[in-house]
Amino acid sequence: MTNVLVDSNVLLDILTEDARWYDWSAGALEEQAEDAVLAINPIIYAEVSIRFARIEDLEDALPSGLFERAALPWEAGFLAGKCFVQYRRGGGARRSPLPDFYIGAHAAVRDWTLLTRDASRYRSYFPTLRLIAP
């Protein structure tokens, strides 16, 4: 069985019932849940948590029976930092995209697929990463 790391944007589309992206995100997540292990990491968990006042509500929204809690590998931290440096040297904005690089690096070093609707940065900096994206 394959592992699919689920990006926070997909989860937030579903949890907020986003008018533009809900159908795509919900359908893609449902399709992957049939044949893959769905995983999140602490960064994804943190990004989704801002929508919730209580951890219990977040846990209900992201049940551990559906979403495996995956630790962040040290190698992903190294790769994320290197990709971030490349991004900055290429003129990337000073805003904080490092979490996205860490998410991409996590999937890349584990050889997992990434389910996201924001694929452009991942394609640019992680060209061998398997993506499920619109």
Side-chain angles (χ1 to χ4, degrees):
M1 197 170 237
T2 61
N3 285 63
V4 174
L5 191 61
V6 182
D7 201 354
S8 55
N9 56 41
V10 170
L11 296 170
L12 289 169
D13 289 344
I14 296 166
L15 294 170
T16 64
E17 298 182 11
D18 183 88
R20 180 173 179 200
W21 289 106
Y22 175 83
D23 288 338
W24 184 88
S25 292
L29 185 67
E30 184 177 336
E31 184 177 321
Q32 293 308 307
E34 292 178 17
D35 299 319
V37 174
L38 302 177
I40 58 173
N41 64 31
I43 293 170
I44 295 164
Y45 189 89
E47 289 181 330
V48 174
S49 77
I50 63 172
R51 292 290 194 187
F52 296 89
R54 299 172 351 112
I55 194 169
E56 294 84 2
D57 296 332
L58 175 60
E59 285 293 319
D60 288 342
L62 301 174
S64 60
L66 181 58
F67 296 99
E68 177 184 304
R69 272 48 173 174
L72 289 164
W74 291 101
E75 299 86 354
F78 183 83
L79 180 57
K82 295 304 173 198
C83 289
F84 182 71
V85 167
Q86 183 182 356
Y87 166 80
R88 289 293 298 134
R89 286 184 180 153
R94 287 196 181 262
R95 63 183 184 83
S96 184
L98 190 53
D100 288 345
F101 287 111
Y102 216 144
I103 290 167
H106 184 184
V109 302
R110 290 292 187 237
D111 195 28
W112 291 353
T113 300
L114 178 62
L115 173 59
T116 183
R117 67 162 165 76
D118 184 21
S120 62
R121 183 174 296 144
Y122 297 117
R123 283 191 179 116
S124 296
Y125 294 93
F126 304 97
T128 63
L129 182 60
R130 288 182 312 278
L131 297 174
I132 300 166

